[in-house]
Amino acid sequence: MGKLKEKYLKQGIAEYSKRLSKFCKFQVVEVPDEKAPEKLSEAEMEGVKEREGERILAKIKEREYVFALAIEGKERDSEQFAKEIDSLATYGHSDITFVIGGSLGLSPAVMKRSNAQISFGKFTLPHQLMRLVLTEQVYRAYMINSGSPYHK
């Protein structure tokens, strides 16, 4: 959700994307976020999440296995995450999609469409920074699964 503006984040994601290219077809799909004022009512916040959710869902194909990144999701360590990625590929889920919501989070419709929810802890991180963290963790998972010492 949203456009990546910071050069250092773009460079980090580009580096891990390049490294991932030897393991998989890795692609970042940006979806425009909803412009909204700072102060919103509860109903307005839900409306923003709903409109953003519609844009996200329009990009997800039926066959994709979807991880929604959400604070209330299940925490995993890097080895568990790597095992899960490996298991998904083994059981025919070769198209894996990770969804990072906007500043208000993900809509109920996106959460319902997800096959699993993943949390990177209770910290609140800007969604642009989360893109870099997630990209590195996906790379780390592939490195763990290949037996590389990168993870140590």
Side-chain angles (χ1 to χ4, degrees):
M1 183 57 54
K3 198 154 189 67
L4 196 59
K5 298 172 189 87
E6 292 81 0
K7 186 178 177 183
Y8 70 97
L9 293 175
K10 286 180 181 180
Q11 290 170 331
I13 292 168
E15 176 61 29
Y16 286 113
S17 296
K18 185 175 83 177
R19 293 180 188 188
L20 275 164
S21 68
K22 69 180 177 181
F23 298 109
C24 65
K25 180 183 172 198
F26 182 81
Q27 175 182 13
V28 174
V29 177
E30 290 183 343
V31 179
D33 53 352
E34 187 72 16
K35 302 298 176 226
E38 272 305 302
K39 297 193 187 252
L40 297 171
S41 70
E42 200 64 40
E44 289 170 323
M45 282 193 257
E46 289 305 312
V48 167
K49 288 196 306 188
E50 186 179 315
R51 288 186 295 280
E52 288 179 345
E54 289 168 0
R55 290 182 195 138
I56 291 168
L57 291 171
K59 301 287 184 182
I60 298 173
K61 295 172 184 65
E62 190 176 316
R63 71 179 182 279
E64 294 174 23
Y65 189 93
V66 177
F67 282 98
L69 275 70
I71 289 175
E72 64 274 12
K74 179 183 170 195
E75 289 186 44
R76 298 147 172 87
D77 63 27
S78 295
E79 289 88 356
Q80 291 168 325
F81 184 56
K83 186 182 253 184
E84 194 168 359
I85 295 293
D86 192 48
S87 179
L88 286 170
T90 301
Y91 293 102
H93 295 288
S94 58
D95 293 330
I96 302 171
T97 297
F98 296 92
V99 179
I100 301 171
S103 59
L104 299 176
L106 293 167
S107 72
V110 172
M111 294 299 283
K112 184 177 179 188
R113 168 58 184 90
S114 70
N115 300 91
Q117 294 81 42
I118 188 168
S119 173
F120 281 75
K122 302 278 184 218
F123 286 111
T124 300
L125 297 172
H127 52 279
Q128 295 92 346
L129 178 58
M130 194 62 233
R131 256 192 240 187
L132 176 58
V133 172
L134 174 62
T135 305
E136 190 280 336
Q137 284 298 304
V138 171
Y139 174 69
R140 182 177 297 272
Y142 278 101
M143 294 302 283
I144 290 169
N145 290 336
S146 73
S148 167
Y150 172 83
H151 179 59
K152 305 294 180 220

